[in-house]
Amino acid sequence: MSAQAILSVDTAESTAGSEHYSRQQGRRLGWLLGALALTLAAVITDLMLGSGTLAWRDALQALLHPERASSLTRVVMWDLRLPVTLTAVLAGIGLALAGSLMQTVLDNPLAEPFTLGISAAAGFGAALVIVFQTAVVSWLPVSYLLTGNAFIFSLATVLFIGIFASRRGLSVEMIVMLGIAVHFIFSALLGLAQYVADVDQLQTLVFWMMGSLQKTSWTQVGINAVLVLVIAPVLMALSWQISALRGFGDQAQVLGISVARLRMLLLVFAALLASAITATIGVVGFIGLVAPHVARLLVGEDQRYTLVMTMVTGALLMTLASIASKMLIPGVILPIGIMTSLLGVPFFIWLVFGRGGRVA
Amino acid sequence: MLELKQLSVEIDRRQIVKPLDLTLDSGASLALLGRNGAGKSTVVKAIAGLIRAQGEVLIDGMRLRDLSMRERSRLIGYVAQEFSASDVRLSVFELLLLAQNSQNMRFRADPQSLARASQMLSLLGLEHLAERQPTQMSGGQRQMVALALALIRRPRLLLLDEPTSALDMANQFQLLDTVRQYTREHEITTLMVLHDLNLAHRYADQTLLLEAGDKVALGATEAILNTERIAQTYGVHCELLRASDGSLCVHPMAAL
């Protein structure tokens, strides 16, 4: 068809593409609601499970009507299980979001929350407290020294990389290389700390590094919740811009988006989330890498849906891992960091290869 | 309508584009020609705001420097040599919505943007691509989509950076015919970087010839592209032939 013929077509009533689009929106909403329901079921299941023997009726009553429950049941539910389950949910959301943002900022599908050295930096921050009894946050109460120091080290690492990169106008590849260099420096320092540590210190450090939900508290749940509740709405408001950044890369600038500023903001958000969560529960891999991919496979690249789906997927995977960590060996709660990969990888492989790679 | 005042670009202390003055009327079309490395794409990117430049760019009398990024983006449409969203898993319809909603802070897409996306698809004859993703399309289809994405924002100035270099002959014609038709109807000023002198003859009223970042000649395309100047600029001996439809054709004979 010639251009003349094309352009003279009466287009006032055209609905090309819009019907398929609204069907697609409906499908995405369906996946989202389904995943949300699954997550809710997983959360309730996780709360019912624990090392103690608690009838599920008592547990449910303690949750819904704490005043009617026995004090023991109340303590088990409210002081032991609920903070752990909520931490699982928040950590899942935070790590998944951090991973998704890192993948966008670094324009690399293999990026994850720890790509720029957060895990090693947090580990070294913890080692300073455990092995050398020193901390940059020495003003904090003793019980928060470890968490605080790990948080400061990991956050400072990413912010340093971000600011250094933006000052010098570094390319994404250079940022990744810088991150790898920083990772190796902190790994070496961590290795050094482990080498000079005595047996008790070494054990504490190794267990700290191994992600575990059991070290949480209501205060830490609160801090992580505030972070998620502040960052998630901002990301939702920016979701069109993030889609444009993922779609058009640097050329998103032509659409009026300040690409450099958006990248920096997303990097800061990713660093805050990953640092806070790593400081709370240690290093938990896999979720941050895979949850964004699962979300994309299910609801596509429109970040209005992808970001929500990423959060829900992260929470679901983490809660399922928590359930598995309690059930695998009766009476023992395994570290969550071990479970996430063991459980998640088969699921991921099924999703990628078993369904032909395309869902929505 | 488009005015460049002493526009120059320096990268790593090397002057890539020397101070350039240019005035174009509303609806005019200009071909930017020159050898590889002459600074053609750099001029276009500088106007689009993709790289830093000195001097002034004015559109409809407004200095781009005084406008916000958002206001600037409304005035300019940009089509690159390669489609930048080529591997993203968004459908063409979603991309068209994105191009219009990039500043939207709400969840819902602007209802008008949905209607405009459908209209644009019909207008360019791309209805059959609405649900497809760029990865599933040919190079020619992708460039047509890139054009749709640039036009849907109703720009005053359309910048095309070698839009046809990856396209076959039929697709080159289809793209540039569409550009000409649409920009004439809507009085959009067009600035295109081209390599094919025949396409310049056919589609550009005016031509700006660049050499090593410097303006060599500017004027009506037929007047600029004569055999001596082609020999000087491109180092190629050629003949100019008049085709049956009246357009001039460049027939290269030998390298000098």
Side-chain angles (χ1 to χ4, degrees), chain B residues 16 29 54-55 58 60 77 133 139 158 177 183 190 193 197 223 239 247 256:
Chain B
I16 308 292
S29 57
Q54 287 77 47
L58 292 95
D60 290 333
Q133 296 177 0
L158 180 63
D177 277 340
T183 52
T190 314
V193 174
L197 303 183
E239 271 180 17
S247 63
L256 289 172

Side-chain angles (χ1 to χ4, degrees), chain B residues 2-49:
Chain B
L2 171 71
E3 231 180 309
L4 306 182
K5 288 184 181 169
Q6 296 288 298
L7 184 81
S8 65
V9 179
E10 212 179 62
I11 296 171
D12 293 335
R13 295 194 192 144
R14 222 162 57 88
Q15 197 155 49
I16 308 292
V17 177
K18 293 177 183 147
L20 175 69
D21 289 300
L22 177 74
T23 310
L24 277 180
D25 291 335
S26 214
S29 57
L30 176 97
L32 259 168
L33 303 179
R35 296 182 65 157
N36 292 334
K40 309 179 295 289
S41 292
T42 312
V43 169
V44 167
K45 283 186 185 137
I47 298 172

Side-chain angles (χ1 to χ4, degrees), chain A residues 32-42 312:
Chain A
L32 213 54
L33 290 175
L36 213 55
L38 266 180
T39 308
L40 200 65
V312 177

Side-chain angles (χ1 to χ4, degrees), chain A residues 6-7 14 16 28 304 358, chain B residues 89 94 107 118 122-123 181:
Chain A
I6 290 165
L7 294 176
S14 171
R28 286 171 176 170
R304 292 177 297 159
R358 288 230 34 84
Chain B
R89 294 159 63 130
E94 285 179 297
F107 186 84
S118 299
S122 304
L123 198 66
Q181 179 85 5

Side-chain angles (χ1 to χ4, degrees), chain A residues 250-254, chain B residues 44-52 72 78 80:
Chain A
D250 284 338
Q251 280 186 28
Q253 225 164 297
V254 181
Chain B
V44 167
K45 283 186 185 137
I47 298 172
L50 286 170
I51 51 174
R52 206 175 295 225
R72 236 179 299 166
Y78 175 78

Side-chain angles (χ1 to χ4, degrees), chain A residues 1-63:
Chain A
M1 200 174 357
S2 77
Q4 268 78 1
I6 290 165
L7 294 176
S8 61
V9 169
D10 178 19
T11 57
E13 297 299 318
S14 171
T15 55
S18 62
E19 277 166 31
H20 174 264
Y21 178 71
S22 52
R23 275 202 308 277
Q24 196 179 37
Q25 304 264 91
R27 252 197 328 268
R28 286 171 176 170
L29 215 57
W31 278 110
L32 213 54
L33 290 175
L36 213 55
L38 266 180
T39 308
L40 200 65
V43 165
I44 292 170
T45 312
D46 190 44
L47 279 172
M48 298 300 119
L49 293 170
S51 47
T53 46
L54 214 59
W56 68 270
R57 246 179 236 180
D58 293 339
L60 208 60
Q61 194 185 39
L63 204 61

